[in-house]
Amino acid sequence: MRQASHRLTIATGGRGLTEVTDPVERWLAGQGVGEGLLTVFCRHTSASLIVQENADPDVQRDLEAFFARLAPESPGLYRHDAEGPDDMPAHIRAALTQTQLSIPVESGRMVLGTWQGLYLFEHRRRPQRREVALHLLGE
Amino acid sequence: MRQASHRLTIATGGRGLTEVTDPVERWLAGQGVGEGLLTVFCRHTSASLIVQENADPDVQRDLEAFFARLAPESPGLYRHDAEGPDDMPAHIRAALTQTQLSIPVESGRMVLGTWQGLYLFEHRRRPQRREVALHLLGE
Amino acid sequence: MRQASHRLTIATGGRGLTEVTDPVERWLAGQGVGEGLLTVFCRHTSASLIVQENADPDVQRDLEAFFARLAPESPGLYRHDAEGPDDMPAHIRAALTQTQLSIPVESGRMVLGTWQGLYLFEHRRRPQRREVALHLLGE
């Protein structure tokens, strides 16, 4: 049994989903591990992780619209507003989704379903550089 | 240290919770691992995982009603509607709950609290066959 | 590769966030593991785990207020009310956040980002004693 650790830097395009399935798969493929557990950890409190459908881009737009309604930018609604009107909604959206995902690995690949993609969910308005920690245990 | 992988197929009865504690415990019991980490991963984007109270069935009905209010089937609310009015709400509900759960194992059993059960949360109206990947690390 | 298991008992002050980064770090530091995976599991259905900003306390107040609006104590809204008006909202809030978090360990420390803290999120009105299971794999 062995392990490996890595950091991925992801440039987001502002609020919404950025697929990270491919860079994660590429790193995994280079580790030579057939069976194991891959953990992805988002090192931010205004971005998060999510597994979602990778087929119809409308799913991503509808998801973004849902979260924008649920945690609106609304002057006076939040005490924490010094970092901009999109910051507290971003923390709420991160709390409602995932900071971490662990995905079993079989035959050297993540066991994602046919329609599942792995996404970084940016919750700030502006593009950001985000850092995700990867950890792999297996053999 | 060793590991084991498995797939569980679960027949859901349509929207709502299906308890999977027993089939997961049964598989775990057969692995002969005393201490370790068990990961459950749902291979779908319109079903998810959740740990909830296993005592009063009203909790499950209230949960289902909450999510139905939060992400209603509402014509015109979503762009993604080709797969039926229940599909986009299903993706939202999956995003708000868990795709994956990792549970420590002690003395050969998951460390669930007294009132905790492990559930597959079906988000589509109709009964489905769902696949869950299990992964165990330990010794 | 080796593993260690532990239980933490946390006294909460009623509804809201209690930071647990320090007690978790202290236990981790005593294990002598440089690289690995640390899993934190909450053994309750009316409390949960969350990674959030540890800088401005207003973030925690805004989060609490958001969840209080989303899942209000409202007579007649829930069937499950025998354990008090705050119990079903507590189950909903737990479902929307995390029961479990796994955090990669590098150089003997969790890879939390600069502004990230690990919190137990109490969802009942009154202070409670909560139990969290810790599991560490690594070397």
Side-chain angles (χ1 to χ4, degrees):
Chain A
M1 196 79 54
R2 58 204 179 77
Q3 56 184 342
S5 299
H6 187 60
R7 298 283 170 95
L8 271 187
T9 301
I10 295 145
T12 69
R15 208 141 47 188
L17 301 178
T18 299
E19 188 162 9
V20 297
T21 316
D22 283 356
V24 173
E25 279 283 8
R26 269 197 300 275
W27 179 74
L28 175 62
Q31 302 312 309
V33 160
E35 183 183 14
L37 184 69
L38 174 71
T39 298
V40 186
F41 186 89
C42 177
R43 302 184 73 229
H44 306 274
T45 59
S46 54
S48 57
L49 299 168
I50 194 172
V51 172
Q52 264 299 323
E53 182 181 300
N54 57 8
D56 179 1
D58 277 346
V59 170
Q60 303 178 31
R61 288 191 205 103
D62 284 340
L63 260 184
E64 172 52 41
F66 170 81
F67 282 102
R69 284 192 302 272
L70 188 62
E73 288 189 18
S74 191
L77 188 55
Y78 312 108
R79 294 179 183 215
H80 174 77
D81 56 8
E83 294 169 59
D86 60 334
D87 194 57
M88 193 58 223
H91 292 313
I92 291 170
R93 292 159 57 128
L96 292 169
T97 48
Q98 264 67 58
T99 297
Q100 162 265 328
L101 283 165
S102 292
I103 307 150
V105 172
E106 296 175 11
S107 306
R109 306 198 59 180
M110 293 185 281
V111 298
L112 294 171
T114 310
W115 309 108
Q116 285 183 317
L118 182 57
Y119 294 88
L120 183 77
F121 201 170
E122 175 63 58
H123 301 304
R124 300 298 305 262
R125 276 195 211 163
R126 288 168 183 263
Q128 309 278 337
R129 291 186 78 73
R130 299 300 194 174
E131 198 182 51
V132 159
L134 303 182
H135 176 265
L136 176 65
L137 262 168
E139 65 185 355
Chain B
M1 198 76 56
R2 55 202 181 78
Q3 55 185 341
S5 300
H6 186 60
R7 298 283 170 94
L8 270 188
T9 301
I10 295 146
T12 69
R15 209 141 48 189
L17 302 177
T18 299
E19 187 161 9
V20 296
T21 316
D22 283 353
V24 172
E25 279 283 7
R26 269 197 299 275
W27 179 75
L28 174 62
Q31 303 311 310
V33 161
E35 183 183 13
L37 184 68
L38 174 70
T39 297
V40 186
F41 186 89
C42 176
R43 303 185 73 230
H44 306 273
T45 58
S46 53
S48 57
L49 299 168
I50 193 171
V51 171
Q52 264 300 322
E53 182 181 301
N54 57 9
D56 179 1
D58 277 346
V59 170
Q60 303 179 29
R61 287 189 206 104
D62 285 340
L63 261 184
E64 171 51 41
F66 171 81
F67 282 101
R69 283 192 303 271
L70 189 62
E73 290 189 18
S74 190
L77 187 56
Y78 312 108
R79 294 178 184 216
H80 174 79
D81 57 7
E83 293 169 60
D86 61 334
D87 194 56
M88 193 58 221
H91 292 314
I92 292 170
R93 293 159 56 129
L96 292 168
T97 48
Q98 265 66 58
T99 298
Q100 164 264 327
L101 283 165
S102 292
I103 306 149
V105 172
E106 295 175 12
S107 306
R109 305 199 60 180
M110 295 185 280
V111 297
L112 295 172
T114 311
W115 310 108
Q116 286 184 316
L118 182 57
Y119 294 88
L120 182 77
F121 201 169
E122 174 63 58
H123 300 304
R124 301 298 305 264
R125 274 193 212 164
R126 288 167 183 263
Q128 309 278 338
R129 290 187 78 73
R130 301 298 195 176
E131 199 181 51
V132 159
L134 302 182
H135 176 264
L136 177 64
L137 262 167
E139 64 186 355
Chain C
M1 196 76 57
R2 57 201 180 77
Q3 56 185 342
S5 300
H6 186 62
R7 298 283 170 93
L8 271 188
T9 301
I10 296 145
T12 69
R15 211 142 44 190
L17 301 177
T18 299
E19 188 161 9
V20 297
T21 316
D22 282 355
V24 172
E25 278 284 7
R26 269 197 300 276
W27 179 74
L28 174 62
Q31 303 310 311
V33 160
E35 183 183 14
L37 184 68
L38 174 70
T39 298
V40 186
F41 185 89
C42 177
R43 303 185 73 231
H44 306 273
T45 58
S46 53
S48 57
L49 299 169
I50 194 170
V51 171
Q52 265 299 322
E53 182 181 300
N54 56 10
D56 179 0
D58 277 345
V59 170
Q60 302 178 31
R61 287 189 206 104
D62 285 339
L63 259 184
E64 172 52 40
F66 170 82
F67 281 101
R69 284 192 302 271
L70 189 62
E73 290 189 16
S74 191
L77 187 57
Y78 311 108
R79 294 180 184 212
H80 174 78
D81 58 7
E83 293 169 60
D86 60 334
D87 194 57
M88 193 57 223
H91 293 313
I92 291 170
R93 293 158 57 128
L96 292 168
T97 48
Q98 264 66 58
T99 299
Q100 163 264 329
L101 283 166
S102 292
I103 305 149
V105 171
E106 295 175 12
S107 307
R109 303 199 61 179
M110 294 185 281
V111 298
L112 294 171
T114 310
W115 310 108
Q116 286 183 316
L118 181 57
Y119 293 89
L120 182 78
F121 202 170
E122 174 63 59
H123 301 303
R124 301 298 305 265
R125 275 194 212 164
R126 288 167 183 263
Q128 309 278 338
R129 290 187 78 75
R130 300 300 195 173
E131 198 182 51
V132 159
L134 302 182
H135 176 264
L136 176 65
L137 261 167
E139 64 185 355

